[in-house]
Amino acid sequence: MSFKPVILWTDALVFLLVFIISVVIWYVRNNPHLSAPWKRVGHSASGMSAFTVLLVFIIIGLLDTLHFRPALDHKNLQGETVYSVEVLSVLDVLVTPLRTNVEKTYSAPLATHLYAKETIDMPDGSQVRTFSRLEYGGSHLQNPETEHIPDIVWRITIGIGLGIFVWCLLHAVLCLLMARRSNSRFKQCIEAVWQRSTEIPWYAILITLAILSVLIGVISMLAVHYHVLGTDKVGQDVLYQSLKSIRIALVIGTLTTLIMLPFALLLGITAGYFRGWIDDVIQYIYTTLNSIPSVLLIAATVLMMQVYIETHPELFETIAARADIRLLFLCVILGITSWTSLCRLLRGETLKLREMEYIQAAHAFGVSHWRIITRHILPNVMYIVLIATVMDFSGLVLAEAVLSYVGVGVDPSMISFGTMINAARLEMAREPMVWWALLSAFAFMLTLVLSANLFADAVQKALDPRIRTNTPGNNGSKTHNKQESAAANSPVTTRPSTTAASNASVNKPTH
C-alpha cells in the first residue's frame, strides 16, 4: 500500500517533546542524585498502577500521531500517483472495522437493531414501522433473538481467555528478566513479586496489566462484530470516537505545558531573584492577565484564528491540516493564560532561596547572576515545576472539554471529548434518551484524569521536600517489618529506605 507521510504541526511538537523527554530520562539515569527522587516515585503502588494506565493512553495517542495520506487507485494525466485528501493515522489502520463500519443512525451498545423505529416496505407492498437490522452490528447472526446473548457470552469468554494468556506471557517475560538480572531462579522471582518484597511494586503493575489485558481482549473480540459502545446520530462507532479523542486530550495537556513553562520559569525566577521594580512589573503583568476572563480571551483568539483560516483556504491542503492549526493555537492561548499560577510559586521559592547562605556566599565571591540562577536557583525549583506540570495536566484535559462544549475549543471536524459531550447534549433530551455517547466520553476522560491525578500525587510525595516517604517513624510499622522479613529471603533487590536519599537529594546546593 502506497502512502504519503503527513507531519502536522502538533505532530512535530509531539515528536519534539518525546525527544526532549528521552534526553532528560537519559541524563537523569546517569546522575544518581537526580535519579534518587524518581526511584521513590517507583515505590508507590498507586502511582505505578496509574502510570501503567497512562502508558496505555500514551501509546494510543502516539499511534494516532503518525499520519499519512493513502494513495488512490488511479493516477493523474502525468502518470503520477494521486493521494487521498483524507489524512489517516496508524491507529485508524489498526481499528479499520470501527472506522469503516458506519450504520444509518443510533444503535445501542452491542445491539443488533437500530435504536429508533423506521418504516420498512414489505414484499407484499405494505409498510411496517419496526427496528431495522444493523448493517454491520450482529450481521453474522442468522437469528438474533436466540443467538444474540449466547454469542456475546461466548466472545466475552474468549476475550477473557485471550487477555489472561497475554498477561501470563507478560508476567513470564518480566520474571525472566528479573531472574537474569539478579542471577536467581525463576520461581524465586515470582515469589518475590507476589510477596511484595521487590523495590518496584511489580504486583500492582501486574494486577493493573491483568485488568487492562482482559478488558482489551474482551473489547477486541466484541468489536469485530458489534458496536461495543453503540453508534451516534450519523452511525459512527462511539468506541472509535473515544479512542480518537485520547490524542487531543494528550496534545492539549502536554503541548500547553510545553508552551507555558518558558513564561513561568523566566518571569517567576527573575521576579524572585532581582526583586525591586522588576518584581513589581512582573507581578503587575500576571495580576492583569489573571483579571481578564480566560474564556473570553480564548474565545476571541479562536474566533480570530477561524476567520484567518476561512479567508486563506489555499494555505491548507486538507481538512486535517486546517483543524490542526486551530488546535495548535488553542494550545498556545491556553499556555499563555495558564503560566501565572506556576510563576507565583516559582517567585516565592526563589525569594526564599536567594537568602540561603550558599547564595550569599556566591554573591560575596562575585559570581555572576546568570551562573547563580542556572547553577543554584534553577535546579532547586525544578521539583515545583515537575509537580505543577503533572498536576496541571488533568486540569487542561478538562479545560478542552469545557471549551469545546461551549464552541470555542477544537475544530468541529476533529473528534475530542469536548465535541462528544457537545453532541450528546441534545441526545440526552430526546426520547428515547441516547445515553451511551456521554457515558463513553465520561468514562474515558475519568480514567485518564484519575490516573494522571494519582501519578501526580506519587510525584508530589517523592519530589516535594516538605513531604517525606518512609520516614523513621513509619519504619516500625507492620507493613515495613513484613517487607523487611520477606526481603531477607528474597534474591531480588528489595525496597531501600529512602530517607537518607531524600535528605541528600532535595534542595542540595550545586557548586
Side-chain angles (χ1 to χ4, degrees):
M1 173 181 168
S2 179
F3 61 89
K4 178 181 179 181
V6 175
I7 299 179
L8 304 174
W9 280 101
T10 54
D11 296 343
L13 291 176
V14 168
F15 296 147
L16 176 63
L17 183 62
V18 171
F19 174 76
I20 293 174
I21 292 176
S22 302
V23 172
V24 170
I25 292 175
W26 174 81
Y27 181 76
V28 169
R29 289 190 63 184
N30 293 332
N31 291 271
H33 70 283
L34 296 177
S35 60
W38 286 103
K39 288 181 179 179
R40 293 198 300 272
V41 177
H43 297 165
S44 172
S46 61
M48 296 309 294
S49 297
F51 179 74
T52 305
V53 177
L54 275 178
L55 195 60
V56 174
F57 280 102
I58 291 173
I59 292 173
I60 295 175
L62 290 178
L63 290 176
D64 201 21
T65 303
L66 301 172
H67 290 102
F68 64 93
R69 293 170 60 184
L72 300 178
D73 296 333
H74 61 277
K75 298 184 177 181
N76 58 13
L77 298 178
Q78 289 76 26
E80 299 175 346
T81 303
V82 179
Y83 296 95
S84 172
V85 296
E86 183 182 13
V87 178
L88 302 178
S89 66
V90 176
L91 180 65
D92 292 326
V93 176
L94 295 177
V95 296
T96 298
L98 300 181
R99 178 175 59 89
T100 56
N101 294 348
V102 180
E103 307 291 349
K104 290 182 180 180
T105 183
Y106 299 112
S107 64
L110 301 176
T112 59
H113 294 74
L114 290 177
Y115 193 62
K117 290 183 178 181
E118 63 177 10
T119 303
I120 300 177
D121 294 328
M122 303 301 292
D124 57 358
S126 61
Q127 292 182 340
V128 178
R129 286 191 59 82
T130 184
F131 299 99
S132 301
R133 282 287 302 270
L134 296 178
E135 186 176 354
Y136 300 100
S139 59
H140 64 293
L141 302 177
Q142 298 296 330
N143 188 3
E145 287 74 13
T146 59
E147 300 175 3
H148 185 206
I149 300 300
D151 184 69
I152 291 178
V153 173
W154 169 250
R155 293 184 181 277
I156 290 176
T157 305
I158 296 297
I160 293 174
L162 182 62
I164 293 175
F165 174 74
V166 173
W167 178 79
C168 291
L169 289 179
L170 294 175
H171 191 351
V173 170
L174 172 64
C175 292
L176 286 174
L177 293 176
M178 292 174 61
R180 183 177 180 182
R181 184 176 181 180
S182 59
N183 295 323
S184 58
R185 294 181 356 186
F186 180 76
K187 183 178 179 181
Q188 291 176 320
C189 292
I190 296 178
E191 293 176 352
V193 168
W194 295 108
Q195 288 176 358
R196 306 183 182 184
S197 59
T198 55
E199 181 180 3
I200 298 175
W202 289 112
Y203 71 94
I205 298 176
L206 287 172
I207 291 174
T208 306
L209 284 176
I211 297 173
L212 291 175
S213 299
V214 170
L215 188 61
I216 293 174
V218 170
I219 292 176
S220 300
M221 293 301 300
L222 290 174
V224 177
H225 293 288
Y226 296 98
H227 299 287
V228 180
L229 298 179
T231 57
D232 62 358
K233 185 177 181 179
V234 296
Q236 195 171 27
D237 193 277
V238 175
L239 176 60
Y240 172 73
Q241 294 179 349
S242 302
L243 294 175
K244 293 289 288 184
S245 301
I246 294 174
R247 176 184 177 269
I248 304 302
L250 294 176
V251 167
I252 291 288
T254 54
L255 294 189
T256 302
T257 303
L258 188 65
I259 295 168
M260 171 189 68
L261 284 181
F263 293 98
L265 281 172
L266 178 62
L267 297 179
I269 295 177
T270 302
Y273 181 78
F274 291 103
R275 299 190 301 184
W277 67 269
I278 297 179
D279 186 18
D280 295 337
V281 170
I282 293 176
Q283 286 192 73
Y284 179 79
I285 291 174
Y286 66 63
T287 302
T288 304
L289 190 59
N290 275 337
S291 65
I292 303 174
S294 58
V295 175
L296 296 180
L297 186 60
I298 294 171
T301 305
V302 170
L303 291 176
M304 286 173 17
M305 187 62 200
Q306 186 66 26
V307 171
Y308 178 81
I309 292 173
E310 292 178 355
T311 54
H312 298 81
E314 68 279 359
L315 299 177
F316 310 100
E317 293 185 359
T318 60
I319 298 177
R322 185 184 66 183
D324 183 75
I325 199 67
R326 176 169 172 172
L327 174 63
L328 177 61
F329 270 83
L330 180 61
C331 294
V332 171
I333 191 60
L334 280 175
I336 292 176
T337 57
S338 303
W339 60 268
T340 55
S341 59
L342 180 57
C343 181
R344 290 176 187 238
L345 294 175
L346 293 176
R347 173 185 172 272
E349 187 69 14
T350 306
L351 284 172
K352 182 183 73 174
L353 291 174
R354 75 181 306 277
E355 303 300 332
M356 303 293 287
E357 290 81 0
Y358 60 91
I359 301 292
Q360 298 299 324
H363 281 298
F365 281 106
V367 181
S368 64
H369 296 309
W370 171 254
R371 188 172 181 83
I372 292 175
I373 291 175
T374 56
R375 295 295 300 273
H376 301 300
I377 302 293
L378 185 60
N380 284 288
V381 300
M382 283 308 295
Y383 78 94
I384 294 180
V385 175
L386 292 172
I387 293 171
T389 298
V390 179
M391 296 188 71
D392 287 346
F393 172 83
S394 57
L396 293 170
V397 173
L398 297 175
E400 181 276 326
V402 173
L403 292 173
S404 297
Y405 177 75
V406 298
V408 293
V410 299
D411 192 85
S413 63
M414 185 172 285
I415 302 174
S416 71
F417 292 126
T419 55
M420 289 181 65
I421 294 173
N422 189 28
R425 177 183 55 180
L426 299 178
E427 296 172 355
M428 296 293 291
R430 72 187 300 273
E431 181 61 34
M433 182 177 64
V434 178
W435 48 268
W436 49 86
L438 182 62
L439 180 62
S440 302
F442 172 78
F444 273 81
M445 193 160 54
L446 174 65
T447 306
L448 177 59
V449 172
L450 181 60
S451 57
N453 286 341
L454 291 175
F455 182 67
D457 184 63
V459 171
Q460 183 179 13
K461 289 180 179 179
L463 301 184
D464 196 335
R466 295 167 295 184
I467 302 176
R468 289 291 185 265
T469 55
N470 294 337
T471 56
N474 294 330
N475 286 342
S477 62
K478 294 183 179 180
T479 303
H480 184 81
N481 291 335
K482 183 179 179 180
Q483 292 177 352
E484 291 276 344
S485 60
N489 300 321
S490 174
V492 186
T493 304
T494 55
R495 184 193 307 269
S497 178
T498 58
T499 306
S502 175
N503 293 332
S505 61
V506 177
N507 279 342
K508 178 181 178 181
T510 307
H511 297 289

